[in-house]
Amino acid sequence: MKAYVLRSYGPPDVLELTDVGTPVPGPGEVLVRVRATSVQPYDWHHMRGEPYAARLMGGTLGPRGPRIGILGADVAGQVEAVGAGVTGFRPGDEVFALLTQGGFAEYVCVPESALARKPENLSFEQAAAVPLAAVTALMALDQGGVQAGHAVLVNGASGGVGTFAVQLAKAFGAEVTGVCSGRNADLVRSIGADEVVDYTKEDFTRRGPRHDLLLDIAGTRSLRACARVLKPRGTHVVVGGPAGRWLQPVGHTLATLAVSPFVSQRVVMTQVVGAGNIRGDLMRLTELIEDGKVTPVVHRSYSFGEIPAAVAYVEQGHAPGKVVVTV
């Protein structure tokens, strides 16, 4: 099969399109023919090996080179074969999945626990936009204890995670304020935000209203500043942070943890890859999508041969919604 292999850190042209062996599903695994994938910051951070500090933390960034050989965390496609013990899927089923690696290829083996049936009302490309971004948003709202009637502020509302967070919060009955640039304000309103704050014109941490829950995806303000927009017993969920070569977004997370004992609000860190009930979350999202309450925002599409260009575009950091790839 064809796959983009990552052998060393660097710019998008280090992604080498080459022939590799088609994987064979082991016990509890499903072989999926990839029909679409998506590109996100998770991919280019691993491609670049950034932030450098993360290479020393024992995760998926190795100190001398990548520990992930084929990038791509989002997959939508068709079941090709199943391994021993798999009972929930059979060849031909249309599925989508959240992985730690492997999506930038024609085939990938997926643990049954990370796989769910594709929403019937979505194309493969739309479905590939869902897993990591939507599961992140769903987990963040769950951790924040969102309830009907809550006032929710989403900082970074126009990005991949943010566009799902706005829609999910509305689906759960919250009043939603989105923070984004002015050029994306209409988009954020169109997906359900009750109010939009243009961060290029206004500091959202110095506005009057206080919120029950802040989903901080952009990580552009300090914890103390964000505390001003939360009610005394509100919850601040840290989802992401600013990009950086050496320390960020790790530095933002560490600084938030250091200051959190000195604010009255509850502070939560969201970690998705390798955690949680992924299949259950994908099934919850499928129900919401098929009910028409959530729709992926696809900003741009690329062909499989254009994956390096797609990664380069996402790395610029200005794409609203999701960037998808047809395989």
Side-chain angles (χ1 to χ4, degrees), residues 60-231:
T60 51
L61 294 180
R64 296 185 178 180
R67 291 185 174 133
I68 291 180
I70 300 174
L71 298 175
D74 290 340
V75 163
Q78 293 167 300
V79 174
E80 186 78 8
V82 299
V86 173
T87 59
F89 301 95
R90 61 184 180 181
D93 286 346
E94 296 185 348
V95 295
F96 69 148
L98 172 55
L99 312 171
T100 56
Q101 61 179 310
F104 292 178
E106 292 178 317
Y107 293 89
V108 64
C109 280
V110 181
E112 187 176 15
S113 60
L115 193 68
R117 296 185 187 277
K118 178 181 75 66
E120 292 184 357
N121 57 336
L122 295 187
S123 66
F124 286 113
E125 288 76 15
Q126 289 175 305
V130 174
L132 182 53
V135 169
T136 300
L138 180 63
M139 189 175 294
L141 288 163
D142 284 347
Q143 291 174 326
V146 66
Q147 297 178 21
H150 271 181
V152 176
L153 180 68
V154 180
N155 180 27
S158 62
V161 177
T163 50
F164 282 111
V166 169
Q167 294 180 77
L168 287 166
K170 288 299 295 181
F172 298 149
E175 294 291 319
V176 181
T177 299
V179 180
C180 63
S181 66
R183 67 188 178 91
N184 294 321
D186 288 343
L187 166 64
V188 174
R189 288 191 189 94
S190 74
I191 58 175
D194 299 284
E195 187 175 3
V196 177
V197 178
D198 180 354
Y199 70 80
T200 67
K201 297 181 178 179
E202 185 177 6
D203 181 351
F204 75 90
T205 69
R206 295 194 176 277
R207 303 175 75 246
R210 291 199 168 212
H211 299 78
D212 299 284
L213 174 61
L214 165 63
L215 264 60
D216 191 10
I217 302 163
T220 51
R221 305 291 291 156
S222 70
L223 178 63
R224 288 191 179 278
C226 289
R228 292 194 292 261
V229 301
L230 283 170
K231 295 176 182 178

